[in-house]
Amino acid sequence: GQNIDQPTEMTATEGAIVQINCTYQTSGFNGLFWYQQHAGEAPTFLSYNVLDGLEEKGRFSSFLSRSKGYSYLLLKELQMKDSASYLCAVPSDSGYSTLTFGKGTMLLVSP
Amino acid sequence: DAGVIQSPRHEVTEMGQEVTLRCKPISGHDYLFWYRQTMMRGLELLIYFNNNVPIDDSGMPEDRFSAKMPNASFSTLKIQPSEPRDSAVYFCASSYSGGSGNTIYFGEGSWLTVV
């Protein structure tokens, strides 16, 4: 079956850099997604990695190592508005069109 | 562009009552998903459709739950009878198979409380 692990919560200060890790186990591999979810809101798409390496998108970057079953989301120059839950997700073994989500990492950014 | 639209946004109902949640996917998307989110279990897939046809409903908790998609622009998730343990946020989401990695886009969610 599939298994996705990420830390439950993290704290950081404004202006700092934080790395949120995700490890996964799937029978096949068809990419890894990161979503951001603010309290009381819907998850919104952040990034998609299908090849190994780092993908940079502004203050946010996502890294993937397929051989290690490992990804991380790197957030730079943290702002208060970055306080949210960050969800790691992989296409489901039962159907690549669906996503299986981790339970999310709650990030709290303090002044 | 209009995103995924869900209604109602919030519903409080009594145990035993029927609950109907509605969803309009993004125009042109050929996949529609119903997810449920709770603190304990996180985001779980209940059922998904491709071109209005249910593909996998193995995540539907029990027979009290049913979902339909009568056309490409509308879907419902029904709970009958509702129970307190059904209290959760229900998200509808859609995706386009021709897009990059089949990115899924979520609606704002329907917050259900069963008392």
Side-chain angles (χ1 to χ4, degrees), chain B residues 57-95:
Chain B
D57 65 354
S58 60
M60 297 285 258
E62 43 196 277
D63 292 343
R64 298 184 297 106
F65 285 68
S66 62
K68 294 181 180 180
M69 190 166 186
N71 57 63
S73 58
F74 183 66
S75 177
T76 59
L77 177 68
K78 188 171 293 187
I79 309 172
Q80 167 63 15
S82 58
E83 297 182 1
R85 60 185 166 140
D86 302 331
S87 298
V89 185
Y90 291 81
F91 287 104
C92 178
S94 68
S95 71

Short mmCIF file of all heavy atoms in Angstrom, two decimals, chain B residues 57-95:
data_model
loop_
_atom_site.label_atom_id
_atom_site.label_comp_id
_atom_site.label_asym_id
_atom_site.label_seq_id
_atom_site.Cartn_x
_atom_site.Cartn_y
_atom_site.Cartn_z
N ASP B 57 -15.29 3.82 -5.98
CA ASP B 57 -16.01 4.30 -4.79
C ASP B 57 -15.59 3.53 -3.54
O ASP B 57 -16.33 3.49 -2.56
CB ASP B 57 -17.52 4.20 -4.99
CG ASP B 57 -17.99 2.76 -5.12
OD1 ASP B 57 -17.14 1.85 -5.18
OD2 ASP B 57 -19.22 2.55 -5.18
N SER B 58 -14.41 2.94 -3.59
CA SER B 58 -13.96 2.12 -2.46
C SER B 58 -13.74 2.93 -1.19
O SER B 58 -13.68 2.39 -0.10
CB SER B 58 -12.68 1.37 -2.83
OG SER B 58 -11.65 2.26 -3.17
N GLY B 59 -13.61 4.24 -1.33
CA GLY B 59 -13.42 5.09 -0.16
C GLY B 59 -14.71 5.52 0.51
O GLY B 59 -14.68 6.10 1.60
N MET B 60 -15.84 5.23 -0.09
CA MET B 60 -17.13 5.58 0.52
C MET B 60 -17.29 4.75 1.78
O MET B 60 -17.25 3.51 1.72
CB MET B 60 -18.26 5.32 -0.46
CG MET B 60 -18.18 6.18 -1.71
SD MET B 60 -18.66 7.88 -1.41
CE MET B 60 -20.31 7.82 -2.09
N PRO B 61 -17.51 5.39 2.92
CA PRO B 61 -17.46 4.67 4.19
C PRO B 61 -18.51 3.56 4.31
O PRO B 61 -18.22 2.51 4.85
CB PRO B 61 -17.67 5.74 5.24
CG PRO B 61 -17.85 7.03 4.53
CD PRO B 61 -17.69 6.83 3.09
N GLU B 62 -19.69 3.79 3.87
CA GLU B 62 -20.73 2.77 3.99
C GLU B 62 -21.91 3.14 3.11
O GLU B 62 -21.89 4.15 2.41
CB GLU B 62 -21.17 2.65 5.46
CG GLU B 62 -21.36 3.96 6.19
CD GLU B 62 -21.40 3.79 7.71
OE1 GLU B 62 -22.47 3.46 8.21
OE2 GLU B 62 -20.35 4.00 8.34
N ASP B 63 -22.93 2.28 3.13
CA ASP B 63 -24.06 2.46 2.21
C ASP B 63 -24.84 3.74 2.46
O ASP B 63 -25.65 4.14 1.63
CB ASP B 63 -25.01 1.26 2.31
CG ASP B 63 -24.37 0.00 1.77
OD1 ASP B 63 -23.35 0.12 1.05
OD2 ASP B 63 -24.89 -1.09 2.05
N ARG B 64 -24.61 4.38 3.56
CA ARG B 64 -25.31 5.64 3.83
C ARG B 64 -24.83 6.75 2.89
O ARG B 64 -25.50 7.76 2.75
CB ARG B 64 -25.10 6.07 5.27
CG ARG B 64 -25.65 5.09 6.31
CD ARG B 64 -25.49 5.64 7.72
NE ARG B 64 -24.09 5.83 8.11
CZ ARG B 64 -23.49 7.02 8.19
NH1 ARG B 64 -24.17 8.13 7.93
NH2 ARG B 64 -22.23 7.11 8.55
N PHE B 65 -23.70 6.53 2.28
CA PHE B 65 -23.11 7.52 1.38
C PHE B 65 -23.37 7.12 -0.07
O PHE B 65 -23.18 5.97 -0.45
CB PHE B 65 -21.60 7.62 1.60
CG PHE B 65 -21.18 8.34 2.84
CD1 PHE B 65 -21.43 7.79 4.09
CD2 PHE B 65 -20.54 9.56 2.77
CE1 PHE B 65 -21.04 8.46 5.26
CE2 PHE B 65 -20.15 10.23 3.92
CZ PHE B 65 -20.39 9.68 5.16
N SER B 66 -23.76 8.11 -0.88
CA SER B 66 -23.92 7.87 -2.30
C SER B 66 -23.53 9.13 -3.05
O SER B 66 -23.66 10.24 -2.53
CB SER B 66 -25.36 7.46 -2.64
OG SER B 66 -26.26 8.50 -2.30
N ALA B 67 -23.07 8.96 -4.28
CA ALA B 67 -22.68 10.10 -5.11
C ALA B 67 -23.15 9.87 -6.53
O ALA B 67 -23.17 8.74 -7.01
CB ALA B 67 -21.16 10.31 -5.07
N LYS B 68 -23.51 10.99 -7.16
CA LYS B 68 -23.95 10.92 -8.55
C LYS B 68 -23.31 12.05 -9.34
O LYS B 68 -22.94 13.09 -8.78
CB LYS B 68 -25.48 11.05 -8.63
CG LYS B 68 -26.24 9.91 -8.02
CD LYS B 68 -27.73 10.12 -8.17
CE LYS B 68 -28.52 8.96 -7.54
NZ LYS B 68 -29.99 9.15 -7.67
N MET B 69 -23.22 11.84 -10.63
CA MET B 69 -22.76 12.90 -11.52
C MET B 69 -23.61 12.81 -12.79
O MET B 69 -23.23 12.14 -13.76
CB MET B 69 -21.28 12.76 -11.83
CG MET B 69 -20.72 13.97 -12.54
SD MET B 69 -18.93 13.99 -12.56
CE MET B 69 -18.65 15.61 -13.29
N PRO B 70 -24.77 13.46 -12.80
CA PRO B 70 -25.69 13.34 -13.93
C PRO B 70 -25.20 14.00 -15.21
O PRO B 70 -25.64 13.62 -16.31
CB PRO B 70 -26.97 14.01 -13.41
CG PRO B 70 -26.51 14.92 -12.32
CD PRO B 70 -25.32 14.27 -11.70
N ASN B 71 -24.30 14.98 -15.08
CA ASN B 71 -23.74 15.62 -16.27
C ASN B 71 -22.36 16.19 -15.93
O ASN B 71 -21.93 16.15 -14.77
CB ASN B 71 -24.67 16.70 -16.80
CG ASN B 71 -24.98 17.76 -15.77
OD1 ASN B 71 -24.08 18.47 -15.31
ND2 ASN B 71 -26.26 17.88 -15.40
N ALA B 72 -21.71 16.74 -16.92
CA ALA B 72 -20.31 17.17 -16.75
C ALA B 72 -20.14 18.37 -15.83
O ALA B 72 -19.03 18.69 -15.42
CB ALA B 72 -19.72 17.50 -18.12
N SER B 73 -21.24 19.02 -15.47
CA SER B 73 -21.11 20.24 -14.68
C SER B 73 -21.76 20.15 -13.31
O SER B 73 -21.93 21.16 -12.63
CB SER B 73 -21.70 21.43 -15.44
OG SER B 73 -23.05 21.19 -15.74
N PHE B 74 -22.11 18.93 -12.88
CA PHE B 74 -22.81 18.85 -11.60
C PHE B 74 -22.62 17.48 -10.96
O PHE B 74 -22.73 16.44 -11.63
CB PHE B 74 -24.31 19.12 -11.81
CG PHE B 74 -25.12 19.14 -10.55
CD1 PHE B 74 -24.93 20.13 -9.60
CD2 PHE B 74 -26.07 18.15 -10.30
CE1 PHE B 74 -25.68 20.16 -8.44
CE2 PHE B 74 -26.83 18.17 -9.13
CZ PHE B 74 -26.64 19.17 -8.20
N SER B 75 -22.38 17.49 -9.66
CA SER B 75 -22.29 16.25 -8.90
C SER B 75 -22.87 16.46 -7.52
O SER B 75 -22.87 17.59 -6.99
CB SER B 75 -20.84 15.80 -8.77
OG SER B 75 -20.73 14.63 -7.97
N THR B 76 -23.40 15.40 -6.94
CA THR B 76 -23.91 15.45 -5.57
C THR B 76 -23.31 14.32 -4.74
O THR B 76 -23.00 13.25 -5.26
CB THR B 76 -25.44 15.31 -5.52
OG1 THR B 76 -25.81 14.06 -6.12
CG2 THR B 76 -26.12 16.46 -6.23
N LEU B 77 -23.14 14.61 -3.46
CA LEU B 77 -22.77 13.60 -2.47
C LEU B 77 -23.87 13.61 -1.42
O LEU B 77 -24.17 14.66 -0.84
CB LEU B 77 -21.42 13.93 -1.83
CG LEU B 77 -20.94 12.98 -0.73
CD1 LEU B 77 -20.61 11.60 -1.30
CD2 LEU B 77 -19.71 13.55 -0.03
N LYS B 78 -24.48 12.46 -1.21
CA LYS B 78 -25.62 12.38 -0.31
C LYS B 78 -25.30 11.46 0.86
O LYS B 78 -24.69 10.40 0.68
CB LYS B 78 -26.85 11.87 -1.07
CG LYS B 78 -28.15 11.93 -0.31
CD LYS B 78 -29.34 11.61 -1.21
CE LYS B 78 -29.54 12.70 -2.26
NZ LYS B 78 -30.80 12.49 -3.05
N ILE B 79 -25.72 11.87 2.04
CA ILE B 79 -25.58 11.05 3.23
C ILE B 79 -26.97 10.86 3.83
O ILE B 79 -27.66 11.83 4.15
CB ILE B 79 -24.66 11.71 4.29
CG1 ILE B 79 -23.33 12.14 3.67
CG2 ILE B 79 -24.41 10.73 5.44
CD1 ILE B 79 -22.46 12.97 4.60
N GLN B 80 -27.41 9.62 3.92
CA GLN B 80 -28.74 9.32 4.43
C GLN B 80 -28.77 7.96 5.10
O GLN B 80 -28.55 6.95 4.42
CB GLN B 80 -29.76 9.37 3.29
CG GLN B 80 -31.13 8.79 3.59
CD GLN B 80 -31.89 9.53 4.68
OE1 GLN B 80 -31.55 10.63 5.05
NE2 GLN B 80 -32.90 8.89 5.22
N PRO B 81 -29.03 7.87 6.39
CA PRO B 81 -29.17 8.97 7.33
C PRO B 81 -27.82 9.45 7.85
O PRO B 81 -26.86 8.68 7.92
CB PRO B 81 -29.95 8.31 8.48
CG PRO B 81 -29.48 6.88 8.46
CD PRO B 81 -29.22 6.55 7.01
N SER B 82 -27.74 10.71 8.22
CA SER B 82 -26.47 11.24 8.72
C SER B 82 -26.25 10.85 10.18
O SER B 82 -27.22 10.63 10.94
CB SER B 82 -26.44 12.77 8.57
OG SER B 82 -27.52 13.35 9.26
N GLU B 83 -24.97 10.77 10.57
CA GLU B 83 -24.59 10.44 11.94
C GLU B 83 -23.54 11.45 12.40
O GLU B 83 -22.83 12.03 11.57
CB GLU B 83 -24.02 9.02 12.02
CG GLU B 83 -25.02 7.94 11.64
CD GLU B 83 -24.46 6.54 11.76
OE1 GLU B 83 -23.28 6.40 12.16
OE2 GLU B 83 -25.20 5.58 11.44
N PRO B 84 -23.40 11.63 13.72
CA PRO B 84 -22.41 12.60 14.23
C PRO B 84 -20.99 12.33 13.71
O PRO B 84 -20.24 13.28 13.47
CB PRO B 84 -22.50 12.41 15.75
CG PRO B 84 -23.92 12.02 15.98
CD PRO B 84 -24.27 11.13 14.80
N ARG B 85 -20.62 11.08 13.50
CA ARG B 85 -19.27 10.78 13.03
C ARG B 85 -19.04 11.20 11.58
O ARG B 85 -17.91 11.12 11.09
CB ARG B 85 -18.97 9.29 13.17
CG ARG B 85 -19.92 8.38 12.39
CD ARG B 85 -19.63 6.93 12.69
NE ARG B 85 -20.70 6.06 12.23
CZ ARG B 85 -20.50 4.89 11.66
NH1 ARG B 85 -19.27 4.45 11.48
NH2 ARG B 85 -21.52 4.13 11.29
N ASP B 86 -20.10 11.62 10.90
CA ASP B 86 -19.95 12.14 9.53
C ASP B 86 -19.50 13.60 9.52
O ASP B 86 -19.22 14.15 8.46
CB ASP B 86 -21.27 12.02 8.76
CG ASP B 86 -21.78 10.59 8.69
OD1 ASP B 86 -20.95 9.66 8.71
OD2 ASP B 86 -23.01 10.41 8.63
N SER B 87 -19.46 14.22 10.68
CA SER B 87 -19.03 15.62 10.77
C SER B 87 -17.60 15.76 10.25
O SER B 87 -16.69 15.09 10.74
CB SER B 87 -19.12 16.11 12.21
OG SER B 87 -20.45 16.06 12.68
N ALA B 88 -17.44 16.61 9.26
CA ALA B 88 -16.14 16.75 8.59
C ALA B 88 -16.26 17.87 7.56
O ALA B 88 -17.34 18.45 7.38
CB ALA B 88 -15.75 15.45 7.88
N VAL B 89 -15.16 18.16 6.89
CA VAL B 89 -15.20 19.04 5.73
C VAL B 89 -15.17 18.16 4.49
O VAL B 89 -14.29 17.30 4.36
CB VAL B 89 -14.02 20.02 5.69
CG1 VAL B 89 -14.19 21.00 4.53
CG2 VAL B 89 -13.91 20.77 7.01
N TYR B 90 -16.11 18.36 3.61
CA TYR B 90 -16.20 17.58 2.37
C TYR B 90 -15.76 18.48 1.22
O TYR B 90 -16.36 19.52 0.96
CB TYR B 90 -17.62 17.06 2.17
CG TYR B 90 -17.99 16.01 3.18
CD1 TYR B 90 -18.41 16.37 4.46
CD2 TYR B 90 -17.87 14.66 2.88
CE1 TYR B 90 -18.71 15.40 5.41
CE2 TYR B 90 -18.17 13.68 3.82
CZ TYR B 90 -18.59 14.06 5.09
OH TYR B 90 -18.88 13.10 6.03
N PHE B 91 -14.71 18.05 0.55
CA PHE B 91 -14.18 18.81 -0.58
C PHE B 91 -14.53 18.11 -1.88
O PHE B 91 -14.35 16.90 -2.02
CB PHE B 91 -12.66 18.94 -0.50
CG PHE B 91 -12.16 19.88 0.57
CD1 PHE B 91 -11.63 19.41 1.75
CD2 PHE B 91 -12.22 21.25 0.35
CE1 PHE B 91 -11.16 20.28 2.72
CE2 PHE B 91 -11.75 22.13 1.32
CZ PHE B 91 -11.23 21.65 2.51
N CYS B 92 -14.98 18.91 -2.82
CA CYS B 92 -15.09 18.46 -4.20
C CYS B 92 -13.88 19.02 -4.94
O CYS B 92 -13.41 20.13 -4.64
CB CYS B 92 -16.38 18.97 -4.81
SG CYS B 92 -16.62 18.53 -6.54
N ALA B 93 -13.36 18.26 -5.89
CA ALA B 93 -12.19 18.70 -6.64
C ALA B 93 -12.32 18.20 -8.08
O ALA B 93 -13.06 17.24 -8.34
CB ALA B 93 -10.91 18.18 -6.00
N SER B 94 -11.60 18.85 -8.98
CA SER B 94 -11.62 18.39 -10.36
C SER B 94 -10.25 18.53 -10.99
O SER B 94 -9.38 19.25 -10.47
CB SER B 94 -12.68 19.15 -11.18
OG SER B 94 -12.33 20.51 -11.36
N SER B 95 -10.06 17.80 -12.08
CA SER B 95 -8.80 17.87 -12.81
C SER B 95 -9.04 17.58 -14.27
O SER B 95 -10.09 17.05 -14.66
CB SER B 95 -7.77 16.88 -12.23
OG SER B 95 -8.12 15.55 -12.53
#
